[in-house]
Amino acid sequence: MTPRRLVLLLLPLIAGFLFDPLPTGASGNKNFQFFAPPAEGTLPNGPLGRLIRQGELIFIHTGQYAPRYVGNDLTCESCHLDRGIKPYSAPLWGAYGTYPRYRSKNHQVNTLEERIQGCFRFSLNGTPPPVDGKTMKALIAYAFWISRGAPVGLYLKGQGIVRMSKPTSPPSPDRGKAIFEGRCSLCHGLDGQGTQSDNGQVAFPPVWGPRSFNKGAGFYNVRELAGFLKMNMPLSKGKSLSDQQAWDVAAYIHSQPRPEDPRKAGKGT
Amino acid sequence: MVVPTPKTLFVVPLVLATTLLGAGQDLTLPETWAAGDKEAALIAWGHTIAMQGNGLPGNTACAECHRINGGGMPSVGIPRIAGQTETYIYREIRGVQKGTRYSPYMDGIVQNLSRKDIRSVALYYSTVRTPKLHDPAEFDPSLRELGRRIARRGLWDRNIPACILCHGQNGRGIPPNFPYIAGQSKSYLMGQLLSFAIVKRKDDPEGLMRGIASKLTNREIKAVAQYFASLEPPVYGKIPEKNRPDRLRLIPDKETPNR
């Protein structure tokens, strides 16, 4: 038995002292081969439980619960599906135990807080909340809870975004446009600007334009975006795009207008 | 689905229809009557089809089954159609005509409707308001939590998103492509989920519902159907300005009316 397996085996025992026993999977699906966060309804009572819940609310209704820091129509869940739990959409349980981490994006070792600040600044085209503020505290508490029982310092299956191998032919925005109009416009609109519900709230998020992520975001990288689309889009139909199609539609989205990278637009460092 | 016997389907509604049709004159007229002559004319024609049929063989009045104000008949699984969007109603009737939606009860009735007929009747029902009717189906309290969970959280470990992600908050729909499912009867909802699962209904864009329904167990179908059946339907399916159908192309049906 490898040390990693041993750790994984022992973890439930250790964790058991702190909280209730670990569940086997969100809905008891035995074929589910990924890390399973704690079952619903097992949140601890008291201040910690309340903070975790607050973090969850910020995660799924970011504009409503952290309005000061959000500059577009997206929420954390727009990209980190199932409240930051779904594998291959950079789930929180894949991140919590893998920071601090060196990132070539800013040539620094980043903490998890700093990583989250990055998503606010680029993916939400907003302002990073302070590391010691309430918003960040709540999000970290939520990430901690989702990652209960996950090993520290190990990369788990399903963490991050799938890294696509090179496409057979260069990604083509033209081919991508046809795919987008055929398979994505139903929800995101032919013009990529998303859909509203009848009470005026965002129903399906915009994928480009003034209310979407900016040019500093991870998804402004075609490979990263293609990896997300491959596994997650169209919603509930992950893996139905071929690799080439995922590259093509990512290239099309990439070719559309969106807010500038704030680092280049001279809005700070 | 709970298949209505021919007797309940035709005798009961006929009796109801004859008594109700007389009273049909004082129907509250939809707001859009004032919106323009052409639209008003379409709605008026739609109203006629709904109450009497279009006069061609086989075309029975919609109201015989969907009731006078489109509230449906929960006891036999006939859906409410009041307040669904014009786009959706149009698409479903075309689906029945083309055979992509298997519907033995609707099949004969809609074959003789022209595109203009369909558009008129769809427009008419989209503007009708009807309160939720009593659903006599049994509700199993032990399935309440499960139903709620599937509806609001989904079963992501089988790649099933929360229903409300596509059907809107509380199942109110995201017009025009995603119909409201709140306040439909339990038997109708179960029937459609099964129909998607065994691919008798295959008019759903991208196969979204076929994919989802085929992954649900019977117990889960029951639970989630009863959850949405217990909610209130939206009053009036207005399409938000941002969701103009010309922005949101429908994959299977390019002829959808452009408004």
Side-chain angles (χ1 to χ4, degrees), chain B residues 1-2 77 137-138 143 184-198 213 216-229:
Chain B
M1 67 173 271
V2 178
E138 269 181 41
L143 292 179
Q184 281 293 12
S185 63
K186 181 180 170 190
S187 63
Y188 175 70
L189 292 172
M190 284 178 62
Q192 293 308 304
L193 288 169
L194 290 171
S195 189
F196 282 124
I198 59 173
L216 292 170
T217 65
N218 285 349
R219 188 176 133 86
E220 286 159 355
I221 285 182
K222 217 180 194 174
V224 76
Q226 114 176 4
Y227 175 77
F228 282 110

Short mmCIF file of all heavy atoms in Angstrom, two decimals, chain B residues 1-2 77 137-138 143 184-198 213 216-229:
data_model
loop_
_atom_site.label_atom_id
_atom_site.label_comp_id
_atom_site.label_asym_id
_atom_site.label_seq_id
_atom_site.Cartn_x
_atom_site.Cartn_y
_atom_site.Cartn_z
N MET B 1 -47.15 7.43 -17.98
CA MET B 1 -48.04 8.40 -17.32
C MET B 1 -49.35 7.76 -16.95
O MET B 1 -49.68 6.67 -17.38
CB MET B 1 -48.29 9.60 -18.25
CG MET B 1 -49.10 9.26 -19.50
SD MET B 1 -49.54 10.72 -20.43
CE MET B 1 -51.09 11.14 -19.66
N VAL B 2 -50.11 8.45 -16.17
CA VAL B 2 -51.44 7.97 -15.85
C VAL B 2 -52.30 8.21 -17.09
O VAL B 2 -52.58 9.33 -17.46
CB VAL B 2 -52.03 8.75 -14.67
CG1 VAL B 2 -53.43 8.28 -14.37
CG2 VAL B 2 -51.13 8.58 -13.46
N GLY B 77 -53.97 13.91 -15.77
CA GLY B 77 -52.65 14.20 -16.34
C GLY B 77 -52.67 15.08 -17.57
O GLY B 77 -51.73 15.08 -18.35
N ALA B 137 -53.66 13.82 -6.74
CA ALA B 137 -52.64 12.78 -6.59
C ALA B 137 -52.19 12.67 -5.13
O ALA B 137 -52.24 13.64 -4.38
CB ALA B 137 -51.44 13.10 -7.47
N GLU B 138 -51.74 11.49 -4.77
CA GLU B 138 -51.23 11.29 -3.40
C GLU B 138 -49.83 11.83 -3.28
O GLU B 138 -49.00 11.64 -4.17
CB GLU B 138 -51.22 9.81 -3.06
CG GLU B 138 -52.50 9.36 -2.42
CD GLU B 138 -52.44 7.89 -2.08
OE1 GLU B 138 -51.38 7.42 -1.61
OE2 GLU B 138 -53.46 7.22 -2.31
N LEU B 143 -40.95 11.39 0.67
CA LEU B 143 -40.15 11.76 -0.50
C LEU B 143 -39.92 13.26 -0.60
O LEU B 143 -39.29 13.75 -1.53
CB LEU B 143 -40.83 11.28 -1.79
CG LEU B 143 -40.90 9.77 -2.01
CD1 LEU B 143 -41.62 9.45 -3.30
CD2 LEU B 143 -39.50 9.17 -2.04
N GLN B 184 -47.63 22.18 -12.24
CA GLN B 184 -48.19 21.13 -13.09
C GLN B 184 -48.59 19.97 -12.19
O GLN B 184 -48.09 19.83 -11.08
CB GLN B 184 -47.15 20.61 -14.10
CG GLN B 184 -46.91 21.47 -15.30
CD GLN B 184 -48.10 21.55 -16.27
OE1 GLN B 184 -49.22 21.14 -15.94
NE2 GLN B 184 -47.86 22.13 -17.41
N SER B 185 -49.48 19.12 -12.67
CA SER B 185 -49.90 18.02 -11.80
C SER B 185 -48.80 16.97 -11.71
O SER B 185 -47.97 16.83 -12.60
CB SER B 185 -51.18 17.40 -12.34
OG SER B 185 -50.93 16.84 -13.62
N LYS B 186 -48.83 16.25 -10.60
CA LYS B 186 -47.82 15.22 -10.37
C LYS B 186 -47.86 14.16 -11.48
O LYS B 186 -46.82 13.76 -12.00
CB LYS B 186 -48.09 14.56 -9.01
CG LYS B 186 -47.11 13.50 -8.64
CD LYS B 186 -47.45 12.90 -7.27
CE LYS B 186 -46.62 11.66 -7.00
NZ LYS B 186 -47.09 10.93 -5.81
N SER B 187 -49.04 13.73 -11.87
CA SER B 187 -49.10 12.66 -12.87
C SER B 187 -48.58 13.16 -14.22
O SER B 187 -47.91 12.42 -14.94
CB SER B 187 -50.52 12.10 -13.00
OG SER B 187 -51.39 13.09 -13.48
N TYR B 188 -48.86 14.40 -14.56
CA TYR B 188 -48.33 14.92 -15.82
C TYR B 188 -46.80 14.98 -15.79
O TYR B 188 -46.12 14.55 -16.72
CB TYR B 188 -48.89 16.31 -16.14
CG TYR B 188 -48.27 16.89 -17.39
CD1 TYR B 188 -48.56 16.35 -18.64
CD2 TYR B 188 -47.35 17.94 -17.32
CE1 TYR B 188 -47.95 16.86 -19.80
CE2 TYR B 188 -46.75 18.44 -18.47
CZ TYR B 188 -47.05 17.90 -19.70
OH TYR B 188 -46.44 18.38 -20.84
N LEU B 189 -46.25 15.50 -14.70
CA LEU B 189 -44.80 15.64 -14.60
C LEU B 189 -44.12 14.27 -14.66
O LEU B 189 -43.15 14.07 -15.39
CB LEU B 189 -44.41 16.37 -13.31
CG LEU B 189 -44.80 17.85 -13.26
CD1 LEU B 189 -44.54 18.43 -11.88
CD2 LEU B 189 -44.03 18.65 -14.32
N MET B 190 -44.67 13.31 -13.91
CA MET B 190 -44.09 11.97 -13.95
C MET B 190 -44.17 11.41 -15.36
O MET B 190 -43.23 10.80 -15.87
CB MET B 190 -44.83 11.05 -12.98
CG MET B 190 -44.45 11.29 -11.53
SD MET B 190 -45.37 10.23 -10.41
CE MET B 190 -44.83 8.62 -10.94
N GLY B 191 -45.32 11.60 -15.99
CA GLY B 191 -45.51 11.09 -17.35
C GLY B 191 -44.49 11.64 -18.32
O GLY B 191 -43.89 10.89 -19.09
N GLN B 192 -44.23 12.94 -18.24
CA GLN B 192 -43.28 13.53 -19.18
C GLN B 192 -41.85 13.08 -18.89
O GLN B 192 -41.07 12.84 -19.81
CB GLN B 192 -43.37 15.06 -19.16
CG GLN B 192 -44.69 15.59 -19.69
CD GLN B 192 -45.04 15.04 -21.06
OE1 GLN B 192 -44.27 15.16 -22.00
NE2 GLN B 192 -46.19 14.40 -21.18
N LEU B 193 -41.51 12.96 -17.60
CA LEU B 193 -40.15 12.52 -17.28
C LEU B 193 -39.93 11.09 -17.80
O LEU B 193 -38.89 10.78 -18.38
CB LEU B 193 -39.91 12.60 -15.76
CG LEU B 193 -39.76 14.04 -15.24
CD1 LEU B 193 -39.79 14.09 -13.72
CD2 LEU B 193 -38.46 14.67 -15.76
N LEU B 194 -40.95 10.24 -17.63
CA LEU B 194 -40.81 8.88 -18.15
C LEU B 194 -40.74 8.90 -19.67
O LEU B 194 -39.98 8.16 -20.28
CB LEU B 194 -42.00 8.02 -17.69
CG LEU B 194 -41.98 7.70 -16.19
CD1 LEU B 194 -43.29 7.03 -15.77
CD2 LEU B 194 -40.79 6.80 -15.85
N SER B 195 -41.54 9.77 -20.25
CA SER B 195 -41.57 9.86 -21.70
C SER B 195 -40.21 10.30 -22.27
O SER B 195 -39.75 9.77 -23.27
CB SER B 195 -42.68 10.86 -22.05
OG SER B 195 -42.93 10.88 -23.40
N PHE B 196 -39.57 11.25 -21.60
CA PHE B 196 -38.21 11.64 -22.00
C PHE B 196 -37.26 10.46 -21.80
O PHE B 196 -36.42 10.18 -22.64
CB PHE B 196 -37.70 12.80 -21.14
CG PHE B 196 -38.23 14.17 -21.51
CD1 PHE B 196 -38.90 14.96 -20.58
CD2 PHE B 196 -38.05 14.68 -22.79
CE1 PHE B 196 -39.37 16.23 -20.90
CE2 PHE B 196 -38.51 15.96 -23.12
CZ PHE B 196 -39.18 16.72 -22.18
N ALA B 197 -37.42 9.78 -20.66
CA ALA B 197 -36.47 8.72 -20.31
C ALA B 197 -36.50 7.59 -21.32
O ALA B 197 -35.47 7.04 -21.68
CB ALA B 197 -36.75 8.19 -18.90
N ILE B 198 -37.69 7.24 -21.80
CA ILE B 198 -37.75 6.15 -22.77
C ILE B 198 -37.83 6.68 -24.20
O ILE B 198 -38.14 5.96 -25.14
CB ILE B 198 -38.93 5.20 -22.49
CG1 ILE B 198 -40.26 5.97 -22.54
CG2 ILE B 198 -38.78 4.52 -21.13
CD1 ILE B 198 -41.46 5.05 -22.44
N ALA B 213 -33.57 12.81 -17.58
CA ALA B 213 -34.63 11.90 -17.14
C ALA B 213 -34.15 10.45 -17.16
O ALA B 213 -34.52 9.65 -16.29
CB ALA B 213 -35.87 12.07 -18.01
N LEU B 216 -32.54 9.36 -13.90
CA LEU B 216 -33.29 9.38 -12.65
C LEU B 216 -33.94 8.01 -12.40
O LEU B 216 -34.41 7.36 -13.34
CB LEU B 216 -34.39 10.45 -12.70
CG LEU B 216 -33.96 11.91 -12.74
CD1 LEU B 216 -35.17 12.82 -13.04
CD2 LEU B 216 -33.32 12.32 -11.41
N THR B 217 -33.98 7.58 -11.15
CA THR B 217 -34.71 6.36 -10.82
C THR B 217 -36.20 6.70 -10.71
O THR B 217 -36.58 7.87 -10.61
CB THR B 217 -34.26 5.79 -9.46
OG1 THR B 217 -34.62 6.75 -8.45
CG2 THR B 217 -32.76 5.56 -9.42
N ASN B 218 -37.03 5.67 -10.71
CA ASN B 218 -38.48 5.91 -10.59
C ASN B 218 -38.82 6.65 -9.31
O ASN B 218 -39.69 7.51 -9.28
CB ASN B 218 -39.25 4.59 -10.64
CG ASN B 218 -39.29 4.06 -12.06
OD1 ASN B 218 -38.94 4.76 -13.00
ND2 ASN B 218 -39.70 2.82 -12.21
N ARG B 219 -38.12 6.28 -8.25
CA ARG B 219 -38.37 6.92 -6.98
C ARG B 219 -38.03 8.42 -7.05
O ARG B 219 -38.77 9.27 -6.54
CB ARG B 219 -37.50 6.23 -5.93
CG ARG B 219 -37.73 6.63 -4.51
CD ARG B 219 -36.83 5.76 -3.62
NE ARG B 219 -36.14 6.58 -2.64
CZ ARG B 219 -36.66 6.91 -1.47
NH1 ARG B 219 -37.84 6.47 -1.13
NH2 ARG B 219 -35.99 7.67 -0.63
N GLU B 220 -36.92 8.71 -7.70
CA GLU B 220 -36.51 10.11 -7.83
C GLU B 220 -37.49 10.89 -8.71
O GLU B 220 -37.80 12.05 -8.44
CB GLU B 220 -35.09 10.19 -8.40
CG GLU B 220 -34.02 9.79 -7.38
CD GLU B 220 -32.69 9.36 -7.99
OE1 GLU B 220 -32.59 9.28 -9.23
OE2 GLU B 220 -31.76 9.08 -7.22
N ILE B 221 -37.98 10.24 -9.75
CA ILE B 221 -38.96 10.89 -10.62
C ILE B 221 -40.21 11.25 -9.83
O ILE B 221 -40.73 12.37 -9.91
CB ILE B 221 -39.29 9.98 -11.82
CG1 ILE B 221 -38.13 10.00 -12.81
CG2 ILE B 221 -40.60 10.40 -12.49
CD1 ILE B 221 -38.35 9.17 -14.07
N LYS B 222 -40.65 10.30 -9.03
CA LYS B 222 -41.83 10.53 -8.20
C LYS B 222 -41.59 11.70 -7.25
O LYS B 222 -42.42 12.60 -7.12
CB LYS B 222 -42.06 9.27 -7.38
CG LYS B 222 -43.50 8.91 -7.16
CD LYS B 222 -43.49 7.64 -6.34
CE LYS B 222 -44.80 6.94 -6.30
NZ LYS B 222 -44.68 5.65 -5.59
N ALA B 223 -40.42 11.68 -6.61
CA ALA B 223 -40.12 12.69 -5.60
C ALA B 223 -40.06 14.09 -6.22
O ALA B 223 -40.66 15.04 -5.70
CB ALA B 223 -38.79 12.37 -4.92
N VAL B 224 -39.39 14.21 -7.35
CA VAL B 224 -39.21 15.54 -7.92
C VAL B 224 -40.51 16.03 -8.57
O VAL B 224 -40.84 17.21 -8.52
CB VAL B 224 -37.99 15.58 -8.88
CG1 VAL B 224 -38.29 14.92 -10.21
CG2 VAL B 224 -37.52 17.01 -9.10
N ALA B 225 -41.29 15.10 -9.12
CA ALA B 225 -42.59 15.48 -9.70
C ALA B 225 -43.50 16.01 -8.61
O ALA B 225 -44.16 17.04 -8.77
CB ALA B 225 -43.23 14.27 -10.40
N GLN B 226 -43.49 15.34 -7.49
CA GLN B 226 -44.38 15.78 -6.42
C GLN B 226 -43.91 17.11 -5.83
O GLN B 226 -44.72 17.94 -5.43
CB GLN B 226 -44.51 14.66 -5.38
CG GLN B 226 -43.95 14.93 -4.04
CD GLN B 226 -44.21 13.80 -3.05
OE1 GLN B 226 -44.76 12.76 -3.36
NE2 GLN B 226 -43.80 14.01 -1.84
N TYR B 227 -42.59 17.33 -5.85
CA TYR B 227 -42.10 18.62 -5.35
C TYR B 227 -42.62 19.77 -6.22
O TYR B 227 -43.18 20.74 -5.71
CB TYR B 227 -40.57 18.64 -5.32
CG TYR B 227 -40.02 19.99 -4.93
CD1 TYR B 227 -40.03 20.40 -3.61
CD2 TYR B 227 -39.53 20.88 -5.89
CE1 TYR B 227 -39.56 21.66 -3.25
CE2 TYR B 227 -39.06 22.13 -5.54
CZ TYR B 227 -39.08 22.51 -4.22
OH TYR B 227 -38.62 23.76 -3.87
N PHE B 228 -42.45 19.66 -7.53
CA PHE B 228 -42.88 20.77 -8.39
C PHE B 228 -44.41 20.88 -8.44
O PHE B 228 -44.95 21.97 -8.59
CB PHE B 228 -42.28 20.65 -9.79
CG PHE B 228 -40.85 21.09 -9.84
CD1 PHE B 228 -39.82 20.18 -10.03
CD2 PHE B 228 -40.51 22.42 -9.64
CE1 PHE B 228 -38.49 20.58 -10.05
CE2 PHE B 228 -39.18 22.84 -9.64
CZ PHE B 228 -38.17 21.91 -9.85
N ALA B 229 -45.08 19.74 -8.30
CA ALA B 229 -46.55 19.79 -8.29
C ALA B 229 -47.06 20.55 -7.07
O ALA B 229 -48.15 21.11 -7.08
CB ALA B 229 -47.12 18.37 -8.32
#
